[in-house]
Amino acid sequence: MKRLPVIITFAIMLAGLLVQAKPGKVARHDEDAAKADYIFLEALREKSQGHPDAAFELLRRANELNPSDRETGMELSYFLLSLAQNDTANAVKALELMRDYWEANPEDYYSGVRYGLLNDNLGLREEGLKVWNRLHEVHSDKIELTYRLADMLAQGGDAAERDRAIAIYDSIELAEGPNIPLSGKKIQIYLIENDTLAALSEADHLREASPTNVDFQVFSGDVYSMLGKQDEALAFFDRAVELDPSSGYARYSKAQYFKETGDSAGFDREVFVALKQNSLDVDTKLMLLRSYISEMINDSVQQPRIKELFDTLLVVHPLEHDIHDLYSRFLVTVRDYKGAAEQTEQTLGLDPADPQGWEMLTSLYLQTEEYDKARDAIMRSLRYYPENARQHLMLGSIYNQEGHHVEAIEQYKESLSLTPEGDAETISRIYGSWGDALYAMEQADSAFVYYRKAVLYDPTNYLAMNNSAYFMACEGGDLDEALRLIEKVIAVEPDQATSLDTYAWVLFKRKDYEKAREVMDRVLEIEGDEPSSDVLDHAGDIYFMDGEPRKALEFWKRALKLDPENEKIGRKVREKCIVK
């Protein structure tokens, strides 16, 4: 490449340096060539100062003045490549400039590699092979070029080229010794040619080169298993485990063998043995465990077995963060929220720098209705992340649940101030919760304003829509609007009991008793043996107005048993009718 001359103030010395600025080049007397040299140097100066746009324009001008200057062309090609993504003309021009430079300078390693890779990326295989062949000849000491040439010959060529690739891989093996990547490359070629005998022979060759190498035994097992030789494959896996019982690679491969051959008992047994190995690294154990969980999680009978696996693993590794974390996520999947909270506590105890972990812990305690623990989790998390808007939002929800509505609204304000304007989903949740607090404070008109804000920010906030529709029905508000909102929710959540209960109540308030009863029957079916007192109370009112007072009384009695302090339900039971 050209080198910048030292700038000297005397004109005659400057002119002399310009002639020497390009080693190996004949001095030019042509005026355009001289201008091009000067502009090229200015381009390099602009590039070194971090002005790529100016450098690009100068290089383009230098190339126009002296298109035969290959060094300028090579420098320009780098800029053109950055523009080639949206302009194929630039890619073609860059390729042309690179080719001109490389053909004149085949010994230039870095430019040659860049030109070869460009041909590969553009699918120009013939030119690419030409480049890699030449580079391999000139730089025979660079093993990465030997690999590249062999890989190119192996891909997409004819049988002769694949044979040459095998020969090159063999030559590398003579220099480096047998290894799995080389054997793998050769086996891929044999499989392309449907020569399974050669593929098996290559696996044998590798294994025989070092009979006590565990990895070679496992590799042979993988190859034999892939080619349907299951008995031989298992023998190699057994040999690998015998050579090194603590080998994670061997244990994992053997377990996967049982899984792939449908031997669930063998898979189960091997996983348990592996997890009990003190010397087996934790990452491999986690890989085995994830594989086991994915295989067994849909079988409820196996879930206790999975828990047993985790418990076994935690005896050996009680302080491993990732094991507790994976256990927690598994327990969430099987809806053991209390157990998941315990594991998440362990996870955060080992690494409290996890904002999502704190949110998960809070949610788990809310799910189990342990509000004191949820509040405590939030307070602890805010020591580490005081600006976590979602935790302030959840703290507000706890206060609201406990009847501390003013404190709840303070938390919603804090959450809103910390939430980025672009986070529409969180803002919507804040406004929806704010609306709930206002309604509980008997400020229904203000509550509906906040529900509308919630839906405006997130048209999929179905909880805000549901609550708004329900409270409109309770307040005798716009029942047409209430029906529109709840029907929108039901279209997305057709089997959600809470939404259906709201739908039934809106229909009841609209005096569509027959349809309300039909929907309420669906709610009762979904809730099964444990409907809430609110659902039973609504069912009683709906059945009463639909002409079945005896059935209505049964519902009210069941509701009163669940909520014995509810005076209104008590009056319904005593008076055997709907009361105001």
Side-chain angles (χ1 to χ4, degrees):
M1 294 297 293
K2 299 179 181 177
R3 291 174 292 183
L4 289 171
V6 178
I7 300 176
I8 301 177
T9 54
F10 299 103
I12 187 166
M13 295 181 71
L14 177 60
L17 282 172
L18 283 172
V19 171
Q20 299 173 34
K22 297 183 235 179
K25 293 178 69 179
V26 177
R28 297 191 183 94
H29 302 289
D30 178 85
E31 184 177 346
D32 283 348
K35 285 181 181 178
D37 283 348
Y38 176 76
I39 292 170
F40 175 82
L41 296 173
E42 277 296 302
L44 293 183
R45 187 178 68 81
E46 291 286 354
K47 180 183 176 183
S48 69
Q49 293 183 357
H51 303 145
D53 292 342
F56 174 56
E57 291 302 326
L58 288 167
L59 285 169
R60 197 158 59 173
R61 177 61 180 149
N63 182 251
E64 289 172 357
L65 288 168
N66 188 10
S68 64
D69 188 330
R70 293 186 177 91
E71 293 177 51
T72 299
M74 189 64 179
E75 191 71 29
L76 177 60
S77 73
Y78 298 152
F79 285 90
L80 290 171
L81 278 178
S82 67
L83 303 172
Q85 186 174 2
N86 300 317
D87 188 346
T88 53
N90 283 321
V92 171
K93 180 65 174 175
L95 192 68
E96 178 186 324
L97 292 171
M98 278 191 172
R99 181 176 62 248
D100 290 345
Y101 176 84
W102 181 75
E103 287 180 347
N105 301 276
E107 74 290 343
D108 187 328
Y109 172 77
Y110 293 104
S111 297
V113 167
R114 182 170 289 202
Y115 178 51
L117 291 172
L118 180 59
N119 278 286
D120 294 349
N121 291 336
L122 294 174
L124 302 173
R125 187 174 184 276
E126 186 176 343
E127 180 69 9
L129 271 176
K130 174 183 170 184
V131 176
W132 299 117
N133 264 309
R134 182 63 178 141
L135 284 170
H136 174 59
E137 291 171 3
V138 175
H139 304 283
S140 58
D141 59 320
K142 294 190 178 295
I143 194 69
E144 65 271 18
L145 292 178
T146 308
Y147 267 109
R148 186 73 191 187
L149 175 59
D151 290 348
M152 286 296 295
L153 289 165
Q155 298 167 12
D158 56 22
E161 288 181 332
R162 290 195 291 273
D163 287 345
R164 189 181 169 211
I166 292 286
I168 294 175
Y169 289 138
D170 285 339
S171 71
I172 295 173
E173 185 178 304
L174 286 174
E176 294 189 338
N179 60 73
I180 288 174
L182 272 176
S183 289
K185 288 176 182 291
K186 287 189 274 185
I187 286 172
Q188 284 181 348
I189 294 175
Y190 294 138
L191 294 179
I192 290 171
E193 296 176 340
N194 294 317
D195 191 346
T196 56
L197 188 61
L200 293 170
S201 178
E202 178 60 32
D204 294 341
H205 163 71
L206 178 67
R207 191 180 65 260
E208 290 161 3
S210 181
T212 59
N213 186 307
V214 171
D215 291 351
F216 290 0
Q217 294 285 341
V218 173
F219 180 78
S220 290
D222 289 338
V223 172
Y224 270 75
S225 178
M226 177 179 63
L227 296 176
K229 305 283 187 180
Q230 305 300 348
D231 292 342
E232 294 92 331
L234 182 56
F236 294 133
F237 292 133
D238 285 337
R239 178 60 178 152
V241 171
E242 179 186 333
L243 287 167
D244 184 3
S246 69
S247 168
Y249 182 36
R251 290 287 183 186
Y252 182 75
S253 297
K254 186 176 178 182
Q256 288 301 107
Y257 165 84
F258 286 127
K259 178 181 176 181
E260 290 164 10
T261 55
D263 185 349
S264 58
F267 177 58
D268 187 270
R269 181 181 63 251
E270 193 60 36
V271 169
F272 261 85
V273 171
L275 293 183
K276 289 178 181 177
Q277 295 288 325
N278 286 318
S279 52
L280 191 61
D281 65 279
V282 172
D283 287 342
T284 301
K285 288 183 177 182
L286 284 169
M287 275 197 305
L288 278 168
L289 198 50
R290 289 189 183 99
S291 178
Y292 189 87
I293 291 171
S294 67
E295 184 78 6
M296 304 294 186
I297 195 167
N298 292 323
D299 184 353
S300 59
V301 175
Q302 295 295 333
Q303 289 173 8
R305 185 74 164 156
I306 296 173
K307 288 184 180 182
E308 184 184 347
L309 271 174
F310 274 111
D311 293 337
T312 298
L313 193 53
L314 285 171
V315 168
V316 183
H317 305 284
L319 300 179
E320 282 293 338
H321 171 278
D322 290 351
I323 298 174
H324 287 288
D325 183 56
L326 183 60
Y327 196 4
S328 173
R329 294 174 191 279
F330 164 72
L331 291 171
V332 169
T333 304
V334 299
R335 301 189 178 186
D336 181 358
Y337 301 120
K338 193 174 186 68
E342 291 174 3
Q343 292 304 317
T344 305
E345 285 280 14
Q346 295 286 337
T347 301
L348 291 167
L350 293 165
D351 180 14
D354 181 2
Q356 286 76 33
W358 286 109
E359 290 177 28
M360 180 177 174
L361 180 62
T362 305
S363 297
L364 288 168
Y365 282 136
L366 290 175
Q367 189 70 36
T368 57
E369 298 183 355
E370 296 177 273
Y371 299 116
D372 288 343
K373 289 184 178 181
R375 186 190 298 103
D376 177 66
I378 292 172
M379 294 304 186
R380 283 185 285 153
S381 76
L382 291 176
R383 293 176 203 157
Y384 300 99
Y385 303 99
E387 297 186 352
N388 188 321
R390 289 183 294 276
Q391 288 292 78
H392 283 287
L393 171 57
M394 283 201 271
L395 182 56
S397 297
I398 293 171
Y399 284 140
N400 200 42
Q401 182 76 20
E402 295 173 335
H404 305 306
H405 309 304
V406 174
E407 292 87 342
I409 289 174
E410 288 303 313
Q411 289 300 318
Y412 298 146
K413 288 178 181 177
E414 182 69 14
S415 181
L416 189 63
S417 71
L418 295 170
T419 303
E421 182 60 32
D423 188 355
E425 183 179 351
T426 301
I427 293 173
S428 175
R429 287 177 58 201
I430 294 169
Y431 280 134
S433 299
W434 203 327
D436 293 343
L438 289 168
Y439 186 83
M441 296 169 71
E442 299 183 355
Q443 298 178 30
D445 290 343
S446 296
F448 295 134
V449 170
Y450 278 82
Y451 287 137
R452 280 192 285 272
K453 284 185 178 182
V455 176
L456 182 65
Y457 269 91
D458 181 6
T460 65
N461 188 336
Y462 301 114
L463 178 60
M465 290 183 206
N466 175 84
N467 290 355
S468 183
Y470 180 72
F471 293 139
M472 280 180 186
C474 291
E475 293 294 320
D478 186 343
L479 293 177
D480 289 340
E481 173 67 5
L483 184 64
R484 184 188 70 79
L485 286 171
I486 195 58
E487 284 182 339
K488 191 172 182 180
V489 176
I490 294 300
V492 179
E493 302 175 347
D495 296 317
Q496 217 283 337
T498 301
S499 304
L500 286 168
D501 178 54
T502 297
Y503 187 29
W505 199 239
V506 171
L507 292 167
F508 173 78
K509 289 293 185 175
R510 290 170 61 87
K511 298 183 172 28
D512 189 350
Y513 302 127
E514 184 178 350
K515 182 69 178 292
R517 174 176 168 173
E518 178 185 321
V519 175
M520 180 51 70
D521 285 344
R522 177 65 181 138
V523 176
L524 293 167
E525 179 185 342
I526 293 170
E527 296 257 304
D529 295 331
E530 298 182 353
S532 67
S533 62
D534 285 342
V535 166
L536 292 168
D537 185 27
H538 291 165
D541 288 8
I542 290 169
Y543 267 75
F544 185 87
M545 294 305 296
D546 197 41
E548 289 207 37
R550 192 171 296 176
K551 186 69 173 174
L553 183 59
E554 290 178 16
F555 285 125
W556 288 329
K557 285 180 178 179
R558 289 173 63 190
L560 187 62
K561 188 174 289 188
L562 293 172
D563 188 6
E565 302 300 319
N566 192 309
E567 184 180 337
K568 191 172 183 180
I569 298 176
R571 285 183 59 204
K572 291 178 185 179
V573 171
R574 289 192 301 273
E575 299 177 22
K576 299 181 176 56
C577 65
I578 293 177
V579 297
K580 291 187 179 180

